Every structure is written in structure tokens, then in C-alpha cells.
Amino acid sequence: MTARPVFYVLDAYSLIFQNFHAIPKEMAGPGGQPTNATFGMFRDVLSLLSKRKPDYLAAAFDGGGKLLRSDIFPEYKGQRAEMPVELVSQIPVIRRVFEGFDVPVLIQPGYEADDVIATLARQGEARGMDVYICTADKDARQLLSDHVKIVNLRKDEIMDPAALLADWGIRPDQVVDLLSLTGDTVDNVPGIPGIGLKTATTLLQQFGTLDNLLANIDKVAGAKRKENLREHAETARRGRVLIELKDDLELGIDWDDLKVSQANIPALRTLCMECGFHTFLRDLGDAPRPEQAAWVAEYVSVDTPEAFDAFLVELRKQPRISVDTETTSIDPLQAELVGLSFCWEQGKAYYLPVKGPEGARVLDLATTLDAIRPILTDPMVEKIGQNIKYDMLVLGRAGLHITAPISDTMVLSYLLESGERNHNLDQLSMRLLDHSMIPITALIGKGKTQTTIDKVDVAKVAEYAGEDADATWRIEAILAPKVREEGLWMLYDEVERPLIAVLTAMEDVGVKVDIARLAELSVEFAGRIAEIEEKIYALAGHPFNIGSTLQLRQVLFDELKLPSPKKTPGGEASTAADVLEELAPLHPLPRLLIDHRQLSKLKSTYLDALPTLVHPVDARVHASFNQVVTATGRLSSSDPNLQNIPVRTEDGRQIRQAFVAGHPGWSILTADYSQIELRVLAHFSKDPALVHAFASDHDIHAAVAGRIFGVPEAEVTSAQRRMAKTVNFGVIYGIQAFGLAARLGISQKDAGAFIDAYFREYEGVAAFIRRTLESAQATGRVETILGRRRPIQGIKNTSERMKTQAERFAVNTVIQGSAADLIKKAMLLVDSELRRQGLKARLMLQIHDELLFEAPDEEIPALTELVRRSMTTALTLDVPLKVDVSVGPNWLDVRPA
């Protein structure tokens, strides 16, 4: 029997909105342009074509102009908000995605994409095809049949008539009637008051159709329900006309045009480069390009003592070398060294195996490291690496500590293109060398059959490792001169490059955690969570799965009849945190749900997870500190993220009590910049009042409140100070009247007046913001105090909302990025002084504006003075820098030093 052709129909806007809301909006291309929805659509289409292999494919968009349904019901879709500006700019790029993959885009003026989809589905089915509709729209369920199904690409779920019956309890031919009864909030189609999904299902199971139901209202149970059905019968009938899809449009298509054909690979590659989608380049399956064919290289395996001696003779002559390690794990603190590769000439690299499969010829580890140690610790030899911090950690654990000077291609790339999402070697090679690297999976496999690289044939590893060192050498030769040309060398040479060694030491040291205290807190939190659950069940009237969005939605909105102020992209009532906050004053259940979520997250993320991350040898937690992630220059932390431990709630602060000094007779010392971002603002703005307040060591929030409210500083009330504090920090983030009003619980008019008063009193701040925006509009970027750059996409945009967001990014980057520059300089000074004075004290963590140390108690006085001096002199500002230093047995119970 001949297989039926497979036809996939994409509901374009449904998929676009799903991706826009599912993927972080912070995702941006090299120019800072928003790319989250574009990324999602590219991924979806690529995955669909490669995994599902359809025979026919088309995408449907809404038609332009006035919709015909609006003639029937003028309020149709009237409540829909305007498309977010961050998405508007992506629609033309998404159209290029469809063009690149040769996906026909179908539009019918006056009709919606749903009608185009319905027509395609019916015609495709009639042509003997199996039709799969990719949509989150509930209306499409009316199209289901044995050969028309709905697919959720993200969840890889298929809905057919049987699945519909299990979910809604009805047949496809009853979908229109059901939605006519319930209404459709997404499209602003009114239904019958008091009839939800469950009731509508019951009625249709009893009466079969809407017409039969309305003809037999007397047989319906419940006086109020009968009344509503009689009073709103015409509403339901009109709703049916709106909801029923048109499946007989004259599309005028040639079905041969819908056949899947060859993608335009060059166009898709260009789009990927523009958007920074480097992960997709290999997946496109392009044939080797001339540049790739011209990649000439010789990679030598140095696997005998004689070959190693000859290699050393040449290595000792080199003033600059590229170095890379091969290991058994991506965790540098648990990885075993398998081999090292070196390169000092384009196209030629050497691999030194020290571990391999049984019977393989390898070098002795100790002998090898002893021989190369003088070179890797020579201050006259520059060591080049890609994410060289990893190699430094691996070799350090093996007893070889790479010393300066070092250079890192990943950091060089980041300084040039802070808007890029990824700076790994594969993507840099593709972007700069137009060369596809050998994937690690080609050596070790993946999934259940995956092995470790020490089990792979040494010759294959030599080819892979040699290519890594060679590519790194070539990339550094491109990036380093460019960093100089762009005026970023001082930032690289004096801050980012030396910081690599400091971060390496921090990761190697790690931080001691009190496992017993975490376990106590976990038990305590579990008990409190259980108590909250009992209260939730009592208020709901029955137990339910609190983690189930579907069940929670039913309790809140169907049973308790609470309003649903916000919808999900799929049109369902949202149960997000901000919605629960809005509902909390109306009923006690939402507040309990908020508390339950917060405690559960703290328990799972920290109390239960941290013990599993403790290193088996030193019993410490070793987080990674990343230089090349944030666009502002701030460091980020991962595995685990120790920078996100909550400090605003008592429950969050309790977690800090488990971070302790690692030895008896040692203490924790914390050093925190006082109001650093406001001091940076004062420096840039040079506002006399702001500068004077900091120079006189006034309470800056009370000082601002006094000027705005026209009262002596000593008479400022706590409420006035709170308002001033909110505005002080809000200015940095571009706070608007509506945002301030929401935070302070005041009217937008009062909030606007308060902001206006602030800028009248602090004209220097207003002038600084104007200068920053004018410069950003002229250059398309902003710079921090040390010259770090960030492109600001949309700063010249005519759309007010997008421009406002870009303006917030511009001002915030200057302030927050300069604060990041400062703390990095401070870390370098502190590290230098610790080594100069020979102290045992160790820097363990950086949390934005705060540094965390452990030290012997006898060193605390010297460390306090050293840290305070280093942090206050790291940069010279127009206002004094102030550092709060505290000491204690753990991170929570510290007291001012």
C-alpha cells in the first residue's frame, strides 16, 4: 500500500508568539537586535525538515486589512494588545527564514491564517494526504479527522480525534459549538455567562449540538443556567459564526509549489551570521566551501621519548604558543588529563598523549609535565588558549600552574562583540575562519553509547586536538590586532586578561558549605511547605496537584471564580507570579501559593542541590565564573549560580548561613561597595548636589528625599526616604511613572510628579542621561568608564516603546558596566596585595559589588585594611568610594569589622 504524502501547515503567528514568549527576550544578535522569536522559528523549521521530513510544507499568515469577521462583530479581537515592539522588528527577519527554507507563505486578504489553514487541511485531505497543523490555537481542533491532526512542535505531541475526546470529552464536529458556549477570550468572542469548559462538555454530551441544546433549554438543569441560555442564545449563535473556520477559500495555489524543495543555504548562512545563530551553521548541512577545502594542516602525535625530545627542542624556541588540553570531563576540577596540544605555526600542531586506550603508545604524565613546566611558567613566553581558564585549572590540579602572560581568544571575541551569545571555538572558527571543526561527538559518540576521549584511538584524538590548537592560533592572530584597532587593548591587557588568573584561583579554591545546616534547613522548609499545602487544600476545598498549571487554573478561576487578569500566549488564564500578586488582595489562596513557590524553589535550587555539587575530594562547592556572558561586563556565576542566592527575604538569607570558613580558626570576611551604582552616577553626572551628598557621607536617600520634599534631612520620614530610594535606583534603570506607582502603591500622577521633581533638583543627572542617549544615537553604542562597549539596537528606532527600552539599556550599561569595571580592578588589586604580603587569606566569591574571603583569624585586621584600601583606590571617581567590611563564622552572621 502506497504511503500517504505528509503535509505540514504552519500557523505562523501562533508559532512566532509561542517562541517569543518561551525564549528569553534578552537574546540579541551581534548588533544588539532582538532575535528570540527568530531563533525559535529557525530552530522549529530546521527541526521539522530534518526530523519529520514532510513532503509538502506551507506557512499561513493573517491577511492584511479589515477582517470579514469584524463586520459581524466589531469587537472581534478588539482586546488584543499591539504586537510587542521587540517582536515587530523580527517579523521581516522571520519571513527571510521562511524564504531561506523555501517555505511558501500563504495569505488571503480579509481572512485569518486559521481560514487558510482550514482550506489547506480540507484540500490536502481530499488529495490523499496526512495533514499536520502546527498551532496552539484551540479553534483548529474543529478540523481534526483521521487524516488531519494538530502537532505541538515544542512538546512533540500529536492531537487527533481520540486525544480530543480524552481532553475535552467531545468530537471534532462539536468543537465549534463548545467554543460558542464558552466563548473565546483570545479572540474576544463572548460566550454564555456561567458556562465553562466542563459545563459545555456536559451539555454537548447530553444534547449533541448547540442548536439542539437551545431548542431544549427547558431540559437543562439549573434555573440560572436556563436563564443565561435563553438570554444569550443569540450570542452563542453569533459566536459560532465567528469561530467556524472557512475551509473553501480560493487560494489559487499550485500544489507542486508546496512540495518541500532545497533550501537556499547561502541565504540561511547569511541570516545566521547576522543574527548570531552560529549553532545552526553546521546543522544546515552545507557542502564544503572553497575556504574549507583550502584548510591545509599537519597534526603530529608526539608519542615516543625520542619524538618528545625533538618536540621540546622546537618548543623552547617559541616566544608565543597555543596550548590546549584534552580531558575525560567538562568539569575541570574532576577531569583527568588525556593529552596536550601545541601550535606556533598556522597549519601545524603537535599532540602529546599521556593517556589512551589499553595498549596505546603514550608519554609518561609526570615526565611530560616536568619537561614542559619551564615553558608554561616562563614570563617571556605568551600562552594562548580558547577558554584558557579551563586548561589552567586542569593543569593546576595536575601540579603545573600556567603563569602570565596568557591570552584568551574567547575573551578577545567578547570584548569586540559583547552582543554575541556564544564565543566558543566551534563558532569562532566558523565565523572567522569559515571552517567547521571536528565535533567531539565524532570521537566519543553521544547518548548511551558515549565514551570518554581516553578510550579513543590516539591518532584520531591527535587530529582533533591539533585542530583545536591550530584554530586557536589562527583566531588569536585575527582578534588580537582587531582589539588593538578598536581601542580595547588596555581594557583587555590591564583588566580582562589578568583577571583570568584570579578567576582560576577562585574556582580552584571554591567555598566550604555546611552540609548539616543545609539538611536542617531542608527539613524545616519541607515542614513549612507541607503546612502551606494543607492550608491551600483547605481553602480550595480539596487536594490537588499544586504544581499542575491546569489544576491550579481550575481551582483559581473555575472554582473560586477569581478574575484572570493575564493570558498565556495560548490564550489560557495565566498563573504566573505577577498574576498571583495581583490576586492576593482578593483571596488568601494566591498568597499561600506565592509562599509555597518561593520556599519550594529555595529548597530545590539550594538546600537540596548544593550538597550534590560538593567536590568529593575537598568537600567544597566550586562555581564557575564567566567573563563572556553579560553584555554589561558583569561576571556571571554558574554550576551553581551563587550570585542569585536571595538576600531580600529572611528565608533566602538563611541559606547564606551554610557558607562557612573552611578551616578551624578561620573566618569569613565580606567586603561590599556602598551604593556603588549611585556613586558612579554621581561621577558621570557631576551633579553638584549628588556629589556633595556623597562627599559629605550623607545618607543619600535621605538627602534626596529632603531636597525633593523641601524638608531638612533630619526630618525626612521613613516613607519619604523609601520613595527617594526607589527613585534613586530607578533612575539607573529608566523607571517610568507607571513603574514607580506600582512599586510605591501611589497614583501615576503622583509618581510622575515625584520623578519630575527629582530631575528638577538633580539637573546634572538629567543632563548626563541626555548626553548618553545623544551619544548612543550618534554611534549606536555606549561605553563604560574603562571603554567597554555595548551596541544598543533600536536607539534610533521611531517606535517609542522600543526606543524607550533601548534608552534604558544605554543608561544602565554605562552605570552598571562601569561598576563592573571597578569591581574587576578591585579584584586584581586585592589579589596582587594578597600575594605581595604573603597572606593565607583567599578570595572565594564575587557577587556583583561584593567580595567574599576566608582567612585565618589572625590575618583579619590586615585583610580588612588591605581589602578596604584596594577597593577604594581601584579607580578614581569624583566621589569617594565606600566599602562596608564585615566578619563572622559564616556568610550570614557577619558583623562590621
Side-chain angles (χ1 to χ4, degrees):
M1 183 176 178
T2 305
R4 297 171 68 94
V6 176
F7 178 27
Y8 273 79
V9 185
L10 308 180
D11 185 348
Y13 276 122
S14 175
L15 296 174
I16 289 169
F17 273 98
Q18 282 185 65
N19 282 302
F20 178 74
H21 290 288
I23 299 174
K25 295 177 180 59
E26 292 77 17
M27 178 181 282
Q33 75 272 28
T35 58
N36 62 330
T38 310
F39 177 88
M41 288 306 303
F42 197 111
R43 177 193 59 194
D44 286 350
V45 176
L46 181 63
S47 175
L48 173 63
L49 288 168
S50 62
K51 294 180 180 179
R52 298 178 182 273
K53 303 187 184 306
D55 301 298
Y56 293 78
L57 180 61
F61 277 81
D62 291 338
K66 185 178 180 181
L67 297 174
L68 297 182
R69 286 180 176 85
S70 297
D71 291 333
I72 303 170
F73 183 52
E75 292 81 15
Y76 181 68
K77 293 193 175 183
Q79 94 294 357
R80 285 199 175 182
E82 289 185 14
M83 184 181 293
V85 291
E86 301 88 350
L87 180 55
V88 170
S89 61
Q90 297 185 65
I91 298 301
V93 189
I94 292 171
R95 292 292 293 269
R96 288 175 57 196
V97 172
F98 288 133
E99 291 169 8
F101 283 109
D102 197 27
V103 179
V105 171
L106 303 179
I107 300 173
Q108 191 77 352
Y111 291 92
E112 298 172 64
D114 292 348
D115 299 315
V116 175
I117 292 169
T119 301
L120 290 172
R122 293 297 177 237
Q123 291 185 9
E125 184 178 23
R127 286 173 168 266
M129 299 178 176
D130 282 328
V131 182
Y132 292 88
I133 303 169
C134 303
T135 185
D137 196 332
K138 294 178 293 186
D139 289 359
R141 295 185 174 195
Q142 64 188 272
L143 302 173
L144 292 173
S145 71
D146 290 341
H147 297 291
V148 177
K149 300 171 185 177
I150 296 172
V151 61
N152 185 319
L153 292 175
R154 290 173 57 202
K155 297 182 179 179
D156 197 23
E157 295 175 347
I158 302 289
M159 171 162 282
D160 57 13
L164 174 66
L165 185 64
D167 188 27
W168 277 2
I170 60 171
R171 305 182 306 273
D173 61 283
Q174 295 174 304
V175 168
V176 174
D177 286 353
L178 181 139
L179 294 177
S180 302
L181 288 167
T182 63
D184 188 343
T185 56
V186 176
D187 291 338
N188 202 33
V189 177
I192 305 293
I195 294 184
L197 182 62
K198 187 181 296 186
T199 302
T201 297
T202 300
L203 291 172
L204 287 175
Q205 288 173 344
Q206 180 181 356
F207 294 98
T209 66
L210 175 64
D211 288 337
N212 191 39
L213 167 64
L214 296 179
N216 293 278
I217 293 177
D218 290 339
K219 297 179 182 179
V220 174
K224 183 61 176 176
R225 187 170 296 162
K226 291 177 183 177
E227 179 185 341
N228 285 339
L229 284 167
R230 288 193 180 96
E231 185 175 344
H232 298 279
E234 284 308 309
T235 299
R237 291 190 178 99
R238 181 176 56 185
R240 182 167 57 185
V241 175
L242 296 172
I243 293 166
E244 189 169 21
L245 301 180
K246 309 298 181 186
D247 61 5
D248 56 355
L249 301 184
E250 293 293 337
L251 297 179
I253 57 173
D254 183 338
W255 280 82
D256 285 341
D257 292 339
L258 304 189
K259 286 183 177 179
V260 171
S261 59
Q262 182 64 42
N264 185 340
I265 299 298
L268 291 173
R269 284 177 53 81
T270 299
L271 188 147
C272 285
M273 300 299 283
E274 291 176 6
C275 295
F277 298 161
H278 305 295
T279 53
F280 293 139
L281 290 173
R282 184 183 290 123
D283 295 332
L284 290 174
D286 191 13
R289 296 171 298 285
E291 293 84 357
Q292 286 184 291
W295 182 274
V296 178
E298 178 188 3
Y299 304 137
V300 180
S301 180
V302 181
D303 54 10
T304 66
E306 296 76 18
F308 183 55
D309 289 341
F311 161 79
L312 282 175
V313 170
E314 296 302 315
L315 181 67
R316 289 172 179 142
K317 299 176 184 178
Q318 309 307 322
R320 304 175 74 244
I321 55 174
S322 165
V323 60
D324 185 61
T325 58
E326 300 305 328
T327 68
T328 57
S329 171
I330 60 173
D331 181 348
L333 302 183
Q334 300 201 45
E336 295 181 35
L337 188 63
V338 176
L340 302 94
S341 55
F342 294 87
C343 176
W344 54 81
E345 176 186 353
Q346 177 175 311
K348 191 163 187 178
Y350 303 85
Y351 177 61
L352 281 54
V354 296
K355 191 177 178 67
E358 185 175 352
R361 195 165 58 192
V362 299
L363 301 174
D364 177 70
L365 174 61
T367 302
T368 302
L369 294 183
D370 285 343
I372 64 175
R373 181 176 287 104
I375 294 98
L376 294 184
T377 58
D378 189 339
M380 301 303 293
V381 177
E382 184 176 28
K383 283 71 69 171
I384 301 166
Q386 163 71 20
N387 188 19
I388 198 169
K389 174 159 62 73
Y390 176 91
D391 306 294
M392 293 170 70
L393 283 165
V394 168
L395 291 172
R397 290 259 158 163
L400 195 166
H401 299 279
I402 296 178
T403 59
I406 58 175
S407 188
D408 195 320
T409 48
M410 184 173 70
V411 177
L412 288 166
S413 173
Y414 167 71
L415 288 178
L416 289 166
E417 298 186 75
S418 62
E420 280 284 353
R421 294 178 55 248
N422 206 311
H423 304 269
N424 67 36
L425 186 59
D426 286 354
Q427 295 185 12
L428 289 180
S429 176
M430 184 70 75
R431 195 156 77 230
L432 299 173
L433 307 176
D434 209 19
H435 174 71
S436 296
M437 303 287 289
I438 301 170
I440 184 63
T441 53
L443 277 72
I444 65 173
K446 53 186 175 181
K448 294 181 180 179
T449 61
Q450 182 173 313
T451 185
T452 51
I453 203 166
D454 57 314
K455 304 294 194 301
V456 178
D457 179 71
V458 170
K460 290 184 177 180
V461 180
E463 190 73 14
Y464 174 82
E467 185 184 54
D468 280 356
D470 183 15
T472 298
W473 177 264
R474 301 188 197 209
I475 290 167
E476 200 271 347
I478 295 171
L479 293 180
K482 194 169 183 180
V483 166
R484 291 182 184 275
E485 292 168 12
E486 293 290 327
L488 294 166
W489 187 258
M490 185 175 294
L491 176 62
Y492 176 66
D493 190 44
E494 297 183 4
V495 180
E496 297 295 349
R497 177 155 69 163
L499 189 66
I500 296 170
V502 177
L503 298 180
T504 301
M506 286 170 59
E507 292 187 18
D508 188 49
V509 167
V511 59
K512 183 77 171 180
V513 292
D514 185 342
I515 302 296
R517 180 56 182 151
L518 289 172
E520 290 174 3
L521 288 171
S522 181
V523 171
E524 177 189 324
F525 277 36
R528 291 172 57 193
I529 290 168
E531 290 175 4
I532 293 173
E533 287 176 353
E534 290 303 316
K535 293 178 181 177
I536 289 174
Y537 298 153
L539 288 169
H542 60 85
F544 66 98
N545 182 357
I546 298 173
S548 166
T549 302
L550 183 64
Q551 293 185 37
L552 182 57
R553 189 181 291 131
Q554 183 174 339
V555 169
L556 290 175
F557 308 116
D558 293 344
E559 298 175 13
L560 298 181
K561 304 299 182 184
L562 293 173
S564 54
K566 184 178 177 181
K567 303 296 181 183
T568 67
E572 304 289 353
S574 172
T575 60
D578 57 339
V579 170
L580 296 180
E581 289 284 358
E582 191 171 339
L583 297 177
L586 306 177
H587 194 279
L589 184 59
R591 174 54 57 191
L592 288 173
L593 290 169
I594 293 169
D595 294 341
H596 185 276
R597 286 183 181 179
Q598 290 175 344
L599 285 174
S600 298
K601 184 175 182 180
L602 289 174
K603 183 177 182 297
S604 62
T605 305
Y606 297 106
L607 302 181
D608 297 339
L610 282 175
T612 68
L613 299 173
V614 169
H615 194 280
V617 175
D618 60 18
R620 298 169 75 96
V621 171
H622 300 265
S624 295
F625 293 92
N626 312 305
Q627 282 175 274
V628 300
V629 173
T630 70
T632 61
R634 270 187 166 187
L635 294 175
S636 67
S637 168
S638 60
D639 304 318
N641 184 352
L642 298 179
Q643 294 181 329
N644 274 3
I645 296 177
V647 295
R648 294 183 180 179
T649 65
E650 183 59 31
D651 291 326
R653 284 191 292 271
Q654 286 300 309
I655 296 170
R656 290 193 168 200
Q657 196 172 49
F659 288 78
V660 298
H663 307 284
W666 286 46
S667 293
I668 297 289
L669 182 144
T670 66
D672 191 5
Y673 275 117
S674 173
Q675 298 166 336
I676 188 58
E677 291 184 347
L678 293 179
R679 293 174 191 266
V680 172
L681 176 63
H683 169 78
F684 276 111
S685 70
K686 305 192 187 307
D687 183 273
L690 211 53
V691 170
H692 174 74
F694 280 120
S696 305
D697 199 22
H698 286 191
D699 177 341
I700 189 64
H701 304 311
V704 169
R707 289 182 65 89
I708 292 177
F709 290 106
V711 299
E713 195 173 320
E715 297 178 15
V716 169
T717 67
S718 59
Q720 290 172 331
R721 185 184 183 279
R722 183 171 67 92
M723 293 178 71
K725 181 178 181 179
T726 303
V727 171
N728 275 335
F729 288 111
V731 163
I732 301 169
Y733 294 93
I735 196 167
Q736 303 293 309
F738 69 89
L740 180 62
R743 293 187 196 181
L744 296 178
I746 60 178
S747 69
Q748 286 196 32
K749 181 179 179 181
D750 289 345
F754 194 76
I755 293 173
D756 291 342
Y758 175 91
F759 284 118
R760 280 197 305 271
E761 292 295 326
Y762 296 92
E763 293 181 354
V765 175
F768 156 69
I769 293 174
R770 283 196 302 272
R771 290 195 306 271
T772 301
L773 298 183
E774 288 169 359
S775 174
Q777 287 166 354
T779 64
R781 70 188 188 199
V782 292
E783 295 188 6
T784 67
I785 195 169
L786 293 184
R788 186 184 310 278
R789 298 171 184 173
R790 180 186 184 182
I792 305 296
Q793 182 72 19
I795 195 72
K796 302 176 183 180
N797 198 290
T798 55
S799 167
E800 193 58 37
R801 284 179 60 198
M802 189 167 184
K803 190 172 183 179
T804 299
Q805 183 188 52
E807 290 172 347
R808 287 199 299 270
F809 285 159
V811 175
N812 177 244
T813 296
V814 174
I815 302 299
Q816 191 179 95
S818 296
D821 290 347
L822 171 63
I823 193 73
K824 287 180 176 179
K825 288 281 288 184
M827 292 168 70
L828 293 170
L829 279 175
V830 167
D831 178 73
S832 175
E833 280 297 295
L834 286 175
R835 286 186 284 107
R836 187 184 70 80
Q837 296 186 27
L839 297 182
K840 296 178 182 177
R842 305 188 293 187
L843 174 60
M844 298 186 296
L845 297 178
Q846 187 254 44
I847 309 91
H848 304 315
D849 306 328
E850 179 183 8
L851 300 179
L852 186 72
F853 302 82
E854 66 175 2
D857 290 341
E858 62 270 19
E859 288 186 5
I860 291 298
L863 180 62
T864 299
E865 194 277 332
L866 179 159
V867 170
R868 184 173 278 123
R869 183 179 66 252
S870 297
M871 292 180 71
T872 54
T873 59
L875 288 176
T876 301
L877 303 185
D878 289 349
V879 295
L881 294 172
K882 184 177 180 180
V883 177
D884 298 321
V885 180
S886 298
V887 178
N890 57 66
W891 195 3
L892 175 67
D893 299 317
V894 291
R895 298 293 178 265

